[in-house]
Amino acid sequence: MSNVLLTGATEFIAVHILEELLSKGYSVRAAIRSDGKSKFLREQFPTSKLSFAIVPDIAVPGAFDDAVKDMDYIVHTASPFKAIVEDNLKDLLLPALNGTQEVVITSSFAAVFSGPLNLRGQKTYTEEDWNDISWDEALKSDGRVAYRASKKFAEMAVWDFVKSNKAPFSVTVLNPPLVWGPMKQEVSLSTLNTSNSYIYNLMQNTVNLDPSYIFGFVDVRDLAIAHVAALGNPKAENQRIIVSGGLYTYAALIGVMQKYRAQGEAYSVGPDDSDDWCMEANENGGIDSSKAKEILGIFFRPFKDTIVDTVR
């Protein structure tokens, strides 16, 4: 079976990818920032098919030179997602750009869409779309704008690199919207990944709701399956693929959370009512993820399962 380098291996999405890779028989070299980060993963996955490479700073040119040796595939998830950024250039743009030029990336739907964080009334976005944020805007704007810009420029750098260097490898870029789901990484409230902290803050009633809000989501387990399904898949070669499980509204999100709180496990194993909850969102359009289904063969989990498992 093939050897895979997995970057950012201790993070939310990457740990699910690691589990999926190992379950499929791959040997995985996990890139981590320090040796101390390996203890948790060794305990979670006690197998000889897991080894580690220490990459202290992904922004240093050639940071992955040793880590990529003898690897058949590279799955690159190590690009920062921070809601608050003190230095947009240092914290987001350079790490994303310098790191991703050398490997395959997990990008984001943030690189695809323009406009406010609300898809209500907007067009349906496809892989042909890119956000319209300029580099100068990214340097002057808040962290959320800089994050979207970092994903755009990092991904463009990958495609430019492949084109300019006639790279002897193929590239698949996955573009998920908000990623939710159960957490397998070592985590505390202070290190809770940004997307799941959104759910946590709603549970704590610390978020002001916008009743008009519509956006996309994907279950982290489906996203992990998508990464592994792209490996060695001729149909996925040099493809940009949006990986979205569907759209949701604030009303749907709050409704499922409240129903689970009221009914507990009886609700979690009951009939799937996701279509009812998300009907308004799904009639809106917004995200076309047909390529993920056609090329990667993904069957997305119901919204209800994703939210219940995240809340649990």
Side-chain angles (χ1 to χ4, degrees), residues 116-293:
L117 293 174
N118 191 341
L119 294 178
R120 182 181 292 275
Q122 293 196 42
K123 70 173 190 174
T124 296
Y125 287 91
T126 74
E127 288 81 2
E128 299 299 315
D129 293 303
W130 292 86
N131 78 46
D132 57 8
I133 301 170
S134 71
W135 184 271
D136 286 341
E137 285 179 300
L139 294 177
K140 300 173 184 176
S141 300
D142 63 25
R144 292 186 181 277
V145 173
Y147 167 72
R148 290 168 57 202
S150 76
K151 289 300 186 181
K152 169 188 173 178
F153 291 116
E155 186 182 341
M156 283 184 164
V158 171
W159 296 122
D160 288 344
F161 177 85
V162 171
K163 182 179 179 180
S164 300
N165 294 274
K166 297 181 179 178
F169 51 83
S170 63
V171 170
T172 302
V173 173
L174 304 184
N175 299 80
L178 281 172
V179 185
W180 289 326
M183 291 164 287
K184 293 182 176 292
Q185 80 273 28
E186 188 173 22
V187 68
S188 65
L189 286 180
S190 63
T191 61
L192 187 63
N193 54 286
T194 303
S195 53
N196 273 352
S197 67
Y198 178 71
I199 299 288
Y200 178 79
N201 290 335
L202 283 174
M203 294 169 65
Q204 303 302 310
N205 297 317
T206 59
V207 174
N208 293 323
L209 303 186
D210 176 358
S212 74
Y213 188 84
I214 291 177
F215 207 69
F217 77 97
V218 66
D219 191 295
V220 67
R221 294 164 291 190
D222 294 336
L223 183 57
I225 291 171
H227 280 81
V228 179
L231 298 181
N233 181 345
K235 295 181 180 179
E237 292 181 358
N238 298 318
Q239 293 289 330
R240 187 186 200 215
I241 304 174
I242 294 174
V243 185
S244 174
L247 302 179
Y248 72 95
T249 63
Y250 261 142
L253 181 55
I254 297 301
V256 169
M257 291 171 64
Q258 289 179 337
K259 202 165 184 180
Y260 174 60
R261 172 173 286 185
Q263 300 181 22
E265 295 306 306
Y267 176 63
S268 70
V269 299
D272 176 27
D273 52 8
S274 294
D275 287 343
D276 294 336
W277 284 116
C278 297
M279 184 179 300
E280 180 188 6
N282 290 328
E283 289 176 348
N284 186 77
I287 302 177
D288 180 357
S289 58
S290 58
K291 280 181 70 173
K293 298 173 185 176

Side-chain angles (χ1 to χ4, degrees), residues 43-54:
E43 293 173 349
Q44 294 293 104
F45 306 102
T47 171
S48 61
K49 287 185 173 292
L50 175 61
S51 61
F52 295 89
I54 309 301

